[in-house]
Amino acid sequence: MVLFRGLSRLSSTLRSRTVQQPNNLGSVRWLQMQTSTDLDLHSQLKELIPEQQERLKKIRSDYGKVQLGNITTDMVIGGMRGMVGLLWETSLLDPEEGIRFRGLSIPECQKVLPAAQPDGEPLPEGLLWLLLTGKVPSKEQVNALSKELRDRAAVPDYAFKAIDALPVSAHPMTQFTTGVMALQVQSEFQKAYDQGIHKSKYWEPTFEDSLNLIARLPAVAAYVYRRIFKDGKIIPMDDSLDYGANFSHMLGFDDPKMHELMRLYVTIHSDHEGGNVSAHTGHLVASALSDPYLSFAAALNGLAGPLHGLANQEVLLWIKSVVEECGENISKDQLKDYVWKTLNSGKVVPGFGHGVLRKTDPRYMCQREFALKHLPKDPLFQLVSKLYDVVPPILTELGKVKNPWPNVDAHSGVLLNYYGLTEARYYTVLFGVSRSIGICSQLIWDRALGLPLERPKSVTMEWLENHCKKAAAA
Ligand code: CMX
């Protein structure tokens, strides 16, 4: 690894090239720019960190007292909705247009990030590079990162044994998180901290842990899948494959279209700014200087909740229950009745609504486009399309739902199901592997920027009542 970095540094030169880059305002422009051809992500980051540290220092000294909005009692009681309270560099979520990764929308990422084949889906390694550096990588840089991740991918045997200690009936997310906790034994951050590393260097072992973690997750996740649903035999990584394709391969799926789906899946599930439960949890836990493994395992436990990442499991199970009860050729009227039945039994319609988005999730749209291209006649896809017509008016009629439109989880299951990954209980694990890319990228920047311990103030109902009465009297 060190040798690889040394060699790539030696061979690095500067050349002029035209690349599409997001600017600071989040829009995209074409630039003629000087860019390093260094293929090593670590040295690229090392170059970038000092200027971003200066930038943050200046924001604090120039604008430290600028107000970003008023905190209301509603916000405190209502899950902090709309409260600006976190710094998250890798992505930004607009309620109307959806996620932008370092300024690039999903369609823009599909256009500019390197793919495995012409007009193919983006390689997740390219997105990792973009999230970490803010720059669109070249194909060579992405290939180098693919190789680096493969070089880091070996999983210690005790991680599999830790999973084996659980009953096979344990939920796949429980088994997956157990595997992640076992990987923590090899944390470079923890070792460096124990040895007294200076805080200015925290980002370096965080980077090592993060890349090791991202590299090793597919093998752990695939083990969980094969242990629960297949013969339990490990399928070794294929050195000729990229990250997404290798993950699909280790799960046991080698259809090239499934490889493409996995590349798209991992890319779009990677990051969704900082306030969602999994990202926020990872960031919060890491703010105590817990290493990336501890922080990411905590994040996974949040992802495993049905209002967050588990919704993808819930959607497919719900769709299958619709088919079981009414058949595949269900009419829109029957579907409406089924949706009302779900709501009247005190449940949410999984895959619809969002804490921030107020339009159809672009992650839903790009999966719909994938389906229109590759599986337009699939009955479950057609059912998902019908739900797009039927559910939003009903949720709107309820009068309380702020966003009646489908989110990412409304679509992912039917695509996976089509290519043979039919076990819905496993789906959140795929989300988890993907989320490591966003969460770990930000954790590296958390440590590089020296972000402090997170510690918001909490209050009691009595405090709120007294405060509000005093405010009203004044
Ligand atoms: N079905 C039924 N009711 C819904 C609903 C849905 N899909 N979405 C929102 N509501 C309800 C809420 O439960 C809430 O009801 P109460 O006031 O009775 O508690 C009311 O509408 C207002 O909620 P909101 O402000 O519109 O939404 P929130 O920010 O509170 O919650 C979310 C967002 C995603 C939890 C919610 O829309 C939901 O439960 N959706 C279904 C689960 C889902 O798909 N989650 C995945 C989200 C994406 C992800 O993180 O992976």
Side-chain angles (χ1 to χ4, degrees), residues 393-409:
I394 296 178
L395 291 183
T396 305
E397 203 180 317
L398 282 182
K400 61 177 182 178
V401 181
K402 296 197 189 64
N403 174 36
W405 301 106
N407 60 57
V408 65
D409 299 317

Side-chain angles (χ1 to χ4, degrees), residues 91-100 272-273 354 356-357 362:
S91 65
L92 189 66
L93 181 58
D94 181 90
E96 304 293 319
E97 67 166 17
I99 193 68
R100 280 184 178 270
H272 216 227
E273 76 168 31
H354 199 272
V356 177
L357 282 168

Side-chain angles (χ1 to χ4, degrees), residues 42 46 197 200-209 447:
H42 180 272
K46 206 167 185 167
I197 186 176
S200 64
K201 297 216 169 354
Y202 283 169
W203 79 267
E204 304 235 23
T206 302
F207 175 87
E208 290 303 315
D209 279 354
R447 298 290 74 81

Side-chain angles (χ1 to χ4, degrees), residues 296-308:
F296 181 66
L300 283 178
N301 286 323
L303 194 71
L307 296 188
H308 188 19

